[in-house]
Amino acid sequence: ISIHKFYAIHINSNYVRHNTLNLQQLLITHNITHDIKRRIPYIQQSLTDIQKISTQESPPNIPIGMHCFQPNQCPAFSKCWKESPHHSVFSMHGTPIFDKYNYYCKGKTTLHLLNEFEFSKKIQQIQIVCNKEGLDYVNIPKIKQFLNKITPPISFFDIEAFQSPIPPFSNVSPFDQIPFLFSLQIMKTINSSPKQCYFFPNSTNDPRYEFAKSLIKQCPKKGSILVFNKSYETLALKKLGQQFPKLTSSLNDIRQRF
């Protein structure tokens, strides 16, 4: 087959559906003929390498390194790195992967081989010291500070949402988070049993408006609201407020108490 032109079709993430789905606006077509022809020599060499490796009795003996992460993490990562030591230097928080690899190449393969004074971030120093001394780190002042901010009634709130590359409803873009379910447990006092509230749609129609109305109705008008992922729940309610302006004030009041 003689192929003269190559095209890539992908989703337009800026598309917003209005009633009927418009496929011409949803999909973007790019002519990638030049890129394909430029990569043909590389593809041919890759095919040669693959054929050569496929005939070998054992996998090639290639040491782990930065190539395991470039341009993306290798699919064989878990196999090649399974012998990585416990508390490996690669588990260090707040450290670029290139710096971790440099320590690894210098023989500092585990946290207990590192000098905490070489690191400027407190979280790095804490991690190294705790590893060396076999300790768990608990920031008691921070926990007390957090608990002192909680006022009853205390609500425990969680959202479930779904994404779709093809917007299923009006005023939705590809891969928008569409909330459809929530769980809300309410404790009137710190010692009371929680009251279970929830919303679950009873149809396949757009659930967002009913979701928002149900949340406003069932959520206490005061008190702290604890969520699993504050940024996620905050963004979900913010978008609902933008979608339904008459509910914005009530939704803002809820998310400001997260």
Side-chain angles (χ1 to χ4, degrees), residues 157 159 177-180 182 206-213 215-216 233-248 251-252 255:
F157 178 55
I159 289 177
Q177 293 280 359
I178 302 174
F180 69 94
F182 71 73
D206 187 348
R208 291 174 296 168
Y209 183 68
E210 294 301 325
F211 175 103
K213 282 204 312 179
L215 175 60
I216 293 170
E233 270 81 7
T234 297
L235 180 60
L237 295 199
K238 183 178 179 180
K239 287 202 166 189
L240 285 174
Q242 294 170 345
Q243 180 68 34
F244 308 109
K246 292 183 178 180
L247 305 180
T248 300
L251 292 170
N252 284 347
R255 65 187 180 90

Side-chain angles (χ1 to χ4, degrees), residues 51-223:
Q51 290 174 339
K52 180 180 177 180
I53 292 173
S54 67
T55 60
Q56 296 178 357
E57 295 183 359
S58 59
N61 185 20
I62 300 175
I64 61 176
M66 290 300 297
H67 52 271
C68 300
F69 304 96
Q70 298 172 342
N72 300 301
Q73 183 169 301
C74 176
F77 180 86
S78 59
K79 179 177 179 61
C80 298
W81 286 67
K82 66 181 180 180
E83 301 300 330
S84 181
H86 190 52
H87 296 301
S88 163
V89 67
F90 291 99
S91 66
M92 172 64 70
H93 291 290
T95 308
I97 184 64
F98 184 77
D99 292 344
K100 296 177 183 179
Y101 182 63
N102 281 340
Y103 281 111
Y104 183 85
C105 291
K106 293 176 182 178
K108 298 181 178 182
T109 56
T110 58
L111 296 181
H112 79 276
L113 296 175
L114 300 176
N115 183 348
E116 62 271 21
F117 298 108
E118 294 180 2
F119 295 85
S120 59
K121 296 179 181 178
K122 185 176 180 180
I123 189 173
Q124 296 169 323
Q125 297 171 352
I126 290 172
Q127 186 179 6
I128 294 171
V129 171
C130 287
N131 177 261
K132 288 180 177 180
E133 299 184 12
L135 301 174
D136 293 323
Y137 178 73
V138 181
N139 193 330
I140 295 177
K142 278 286 187 181
I143 294 175
K144 287 183 176 179
Q145 183 182 15
F146 172 77
L147 293 176
N148 288 336
K149 293 179 180 179
I150 298 176
T151 57
I154 306 170
S155 301
F156 300 87
F157 178 55
D158 186 42
I159 289 177
E160 295 296 335
F162 71 93
Q163 295 175 289
S164 173
I166 301 176
F169 311 118
S170 293
N171 297 314
V172 174
S173 294
F175 303 108
D176 270 358
Q177 293 280 359
I178 302 174
F180 69 94
L181 177 152
F182 71 73
S183 170
L184 181 67
Q185 299 195 38
I186 305 167
M187 295 173 59
K188 290 185 177 181
T189 68
I190 194 68
N191 296 315
S192 63
S193 298
K195 174 188 175 183
Q196 175 70 49
C197 303
Y198 65 91
F199 170 82
F200 191 85
N202 55 13
S203 72
T204 57
N205 297 328
D206 187 348
R208 291 174 296 168
Y209 183 68
E210 294 301 325
F211 175 103
K213 282 204 312 179
S214 179
L215 175 60
I216 293 170
K217 180 180 179 180
Q218 298 189 74
C219 188
K221 304 304 179 186
K222 61 180 181 178

